[in-house]
Amino acid sequence: MTGTNRIPGGLIDRDKPLGFTFNGRAFQGFAGDTLASALIANGQRLIGRSFKYHRPRGIFTAGPEEPNALVELRTGASQEPNTRATTTELFEGLNARSQNHRGSLKYDIMAVNDLFARFLSAGFYYKTFMWPKSFWERVYEPIIRASAGLGRLSMQADPDHYDKGFLHCDVLIIGAGPAGLQAALSAGRAGVRVILADEDFRMGGRLNAERCEVAGTGGATWAAAAVAELESMGNVRLMTRTTVYGVFDHGIYGALERNTDHLPDAAGAPRQTLWRIYAGRSVLATGATERSVAFGNNDRPGVMLAGAVRAYVNRYGATPGRRVAVFTNNDDGWRTARDLRAHGIEIAAVIDSRTDTAPNPFPEVKTLFGEAVAETCGRGGLREIITTGGKRISADCLAVSGGWTPNLHLTCHLGGKPVWRDDLAAFVPGNALPPGMRVAGAAAGQMTLARCLQEGDAAGRAVAEDLGRAAPAANVPKATDEPAGITALWQVKGARGRCWVDLQNDVTTKDITLSHREGFRSVEHLKRYTTLGMATDQGKTSNLPGLALMAEASGKTIPETGTTTFRPPYVPVAIGAFGAGAKGAGFKPVRLTPSHEWARDRGAVFTEAGQWLRAQWYPQPGETDWRTSANREAQTTRNAVGICDVTTLGKIDIKGRDAAAFLNLVYTNGFAKLPVGKVRYGLMLREDGIVYDDGTTSRLGENHFVMTTTTANAGLVYQRLEFARQCLAAHLDVHLISVTDGWAQFAVAGPESRALLQKIVDAGHDISNAAFPYMACGEMTVCGGIRARLFRISFSGELAYEIAVPARYGDSMIRALIAAGEPFGVAPYGTEALGIMRIEKGHPVAAELTGQTTARMLGMARMVSDKKDCIGNVLSRRPEMTAPGQPRLMGFRPVDRAQMLTAGAHFIARGAEAVTENDQGWMTSVAWSPALGHSVGLGFIARGEDRIGEVVRAWDGLRKTDIEVEIVSAHFVDPEGERLRA
Amino acid sequence: MLMLECPCCGVKGEETEFTPGGEAHLKRHGPGAPDDDFEGYLFRRKNPAGVHFERWRHANGCGKWFHVARCTVTLEVFGTYPAQTTSPPADILRRIRKKRPDWEGWR
């Protein structure tokens, strides 16, 4: 089917026909069409069903303000609901479907709602679904959910990808209508770095939609020439299909560029780009949006804004009707009659609600002054209108103009308040604009073409002057100052039937008076009670009429009644665009240890530790569950030797004459007397006395230390240390650098670890027990001259070392260590075995260091030196933290050794009821100990140090277990530490 | 969005490049200080709706901590200066007073 309503002219390319389907029916349009203009050209008036009453609806506007013509676009996972047909650029194969009906669009069974409209007024659900209470969840909510909403989601993951970008310029010009184009020309000619952004695919704004003359040529022709000149300038960037959706502080603007939405196939390109534009200055030239008037059944397909009718006729060569009536309260509406006449389209009548208006310029056209449209008739679409004077006029399209509302949304994003202008019957931007913003043209309330061009030029030159550039002389193309008078008319007195204010949310004049009557009188209450101005169009055509009607109802002026607050985004922005790049693997960076490839090839199972992927266990053939593998790894380590990649621990290099003094400030225990070549365990507190982090610090030289932190806190500890260094102890000579990624580090643990390392460490370095005892450290070479650091520290409780080599040797190092360990039966171990062995040894980790733990609770009170100042020292001695009865970290074993302990269980005295008052502490970590052959646990229990041997219950309300446990030392394995000194 | 200029390296960046660190010019207290001092150091914060002096760190840059004078309502930045100062520089105070004649002062 092609073009029943096509007329000659317009800016479409008739040499490029495009096929598309609407509700499965094939149509044809042309390049340069929107979906809306192509549907109009094909005589398709019924486009969708309304939100609440399922009323038939047609295309109402020609821009992003469209409340009615929302469609589902594309198919499959790419299906996108609630897409505005008026901004959807036509492409070959476009597949659109109407929304919000059950059954066909023409015979929607939900249209029955319309018959019950008197029960479905504003707030009906607050009143109707009150009782019985039990019905809410089972009956009402499912029904409401099923009926609510417009389009359907595909329920599949978004297959498209999105991009983010950053742009910088001297001035961002928002909108490429006459004011924006002229501003860009004047600023661009002065050499200013300009970005000109426009949401349309063709720059020019209303110049493309109007029959007007600029500089002696047609408006659209002038716009095309202006764009060509701007394109030739190296300092100007033109961005079409780009909506500036928000203004943020310090001259930052958010913009969404639609890269591929107009293409049948994105061919791998990002669908949309979210731009962050850094512009010290901006010119807002966003024009104005036309609004309607409330009269009876003003929502019928065929009723359209007068400016939109002109846009379809002039720009798209498509007429919304063959016999068009015009209803206006302002001079601009007459331009629609003039343009239709020029296109040879029959004008049924021009109805001007004003009585004091200019004389009728078209004597042969039927004109009615001082009258208004009372009602429209026609099933499924407009057929006839009835005026307040009772005249019946047949028409298939009614062009309505209630005046133009400046698009000042972006001026309000930083809290600016618009001001009312009676002569325009509209709000204009107030004085408190976002810093650096100028407003030009219709957005500032300048409603004539000549004034728009003048203001654009002035704004462009002012920006150049701001930047200290020689501003060119005023150079404004000539255009006529057409009349733009208006007499406000919000609702027609004597209208019959329901009068719509917000088409998208089915809000009528009655709803607004009801809202007033029931006390919801502030604009914010009005919005929430009636839903006026919500959803995809955010009330672009309805906010002001709604406000005016509330003002009428309350007997106040419009400015007294207030305005709604405009917030970003100006148009809907897909969450996918905000999250561009953060999908899947991009959500969080992944850090891989130096032995990752080796471990992966070995079949390791990995776990996330912060951003790191760490080997969790290394299954061997025949091992089917993690526990078997982890137990074997732990046992091999305890009996022979095991190797674990511990690169992920934070490493901070500390150098300077005052490095030791600095460590004394950040650690509770002293480091000044630590000899060179020795390691010490350090405890770090917060200033409020709670334990923050722990780790070992090695003194490699008189003024050189290397600190390790827990994996999770590596970045935070480094930041804290930098704070202490720069702000608390700026007088100290000390420098820090994070070397976590610089060194690959491996724990080599077990009775054979020394023998293994002796094969790795180059001859000449004595690592015998006498020369390199427990807690020794030193720099040496390995594998024939590779620089290395060796630390004799143990997390497992065995004789153990950690060996560090520059990260680039990490992969070779793990291979060399494993090869050297073959004769000893070496096994790599993962974080599970690591966890088992540290629980057996009673070492605290994050499960114990919860941000509520004191040194005393860990049994480390004596580590908090009272001979020196350190962060947290004073407040760790608060009476509340030293009072008797504090929880203490202890070990726990089940009385019945066959039972399995659970972490999170609470300790309750035998025979006591499991209630909060009887809570004595909690289990923090548990493991099944391969060394002991039964379950072991760590936990905090009140006065634990005095209760060894006592039996309590470990009660777990979540897992429904209640186990008798014996309080024991937290050091299950080798409590005397003989093994690690061996 | 907040644009800050690091007084150490001179780079002007947006807030994702920086890490906030709370109120500036808090004096740390150690052993021997009375409880009131610790209360002020750890708990008492101005939290004004208006001019505020804050610590920030150029975390994704030179790594230096520094101070910022800014309005918590409008986000206007009056200036940035090194962290190793005990009071805001006179030129920044002058600038604030010029723009905010009714400002009560920084202490």
Side-chain angles (χ1 to χ4, degrees), chain A residues 76-94:
Chain A
S78 298
Q79 175 177 312
E80 196 177 22
N82 305 334
T83 310
R84 288 154 293 166
T86 49
T87 58
T88 300
E89 209 174 327
L90 199 66
F91 56 84
E92 179 63 38
L94 179 148

Side-chain angles (χ1 to χ4, degrees), chain A residues 150-402:
Chain A
L150 291 166
R152 294 160 304 167
L153 292 167
S154 72
M155 304 309 282
Q156 296 174 53
D158 186 348
D160 294 310
H161 72 279
Y162 299 81
D163 206 358
K164 263 187 189 158
F166 303 83
L167 291 171
H168 299 258
C169 61
D170 295 325
V171 61
L172 169 66
I173 300 173
I174 305 160
L181 281 175
Q182 186 57 48
L185 285 172
S186 299
R189 284 169 186 159
V192 172
R193 287 187 309 151
V194 176
I195 291 177
L196 175 61
D198 194 277
E199 61 192 345
D200 207 326
F201 54 91
R202 185 186 181 103
M203 288 193 166
R206 288 300 298 181
L207 289 173
N208 295 330
E210 303 286 7
R211 288 163 64 86
C212 57
E213 220 174 69
V214 181
T217 178
T221 313
W222 180 84
V227 168
E229 182 183 343
L230 290 168
E231 272 172 347
S232 72
M233 295 183 193
N235 54 327
V236 177
R237 180 179 180 130
L238 299 177
M239 300 178 77
T240 53
R241 302 184 180 97
T242 303
T243 309
V244 177
Y245 65 79
V247 182
F248 304 93
D249 295 288
H250 295 189
I252 300 173
Y253 294 79
L256 183 78
E257 183 173 14
R258 294 172 299 279
N259 304 315
T260 65
D261 284 351
H262 62 292
L263 302 174
D265 179 10
R271 181 189 169 207
Q272 297 175 344
T273 305
L274 194 81
W275 292 104
R276 196 179 290 179
I277 302 177
Y278 297 82
R281 293 164 184 78
S282 65
V283 176
L284 188 76
T286 42
T289 300
E290 204 171 18
R291 55 185 189 255
S292 183
V293 177
F295 54 88
N297 294 320
N298 56 345
D299 66 329
R300 216 177 279 288
V303 178
M304 187 182 281
L305 291 175
V309 171
R310 293 206 295 279
Y312 288 117
V313 169
N314 293 329
R315 175 172 172 180
Y316 298 106
T319 179
R322 287 291 168 187
R323 187 177 148 82
V324 183
V326 177
F327 173 31
T328 183
N329 68 345
N330 62 76
D331 295 337
D332 196 68
W334 285 88
R335 299 178 68 178
T336 306
R338 188 197 66 189
D339 289 4
L340 289 167
R341 216 166 138 265
H343 283 282
I345 292 157
E346 189 186 349
I347 296 171
V350 179
I351 302 149
D352 191 326
S353 60
R354 298 172 296 177
T355 48
D356 55 349
T357 186
N360 175 13
F362 318 122
E364 81 284 8
V365 171
K366 178 175 184 173
T367 51
L368 301 166
F369 288 110
E371 281 203 52
V373 176
E375 197 187 357
T376 71
C377 314
R379 194 180 166 79
L382 184 71
R383 201 185 66 241
E384 190 177 56
I385 57 177
I386 305 171
T387 68
T388 45
K391 297 178 191 74
R392 288 175 171 268
I393 300 163
S394 75
D396 58 357
C397 173
L398 174 62
V400 186
S401 181

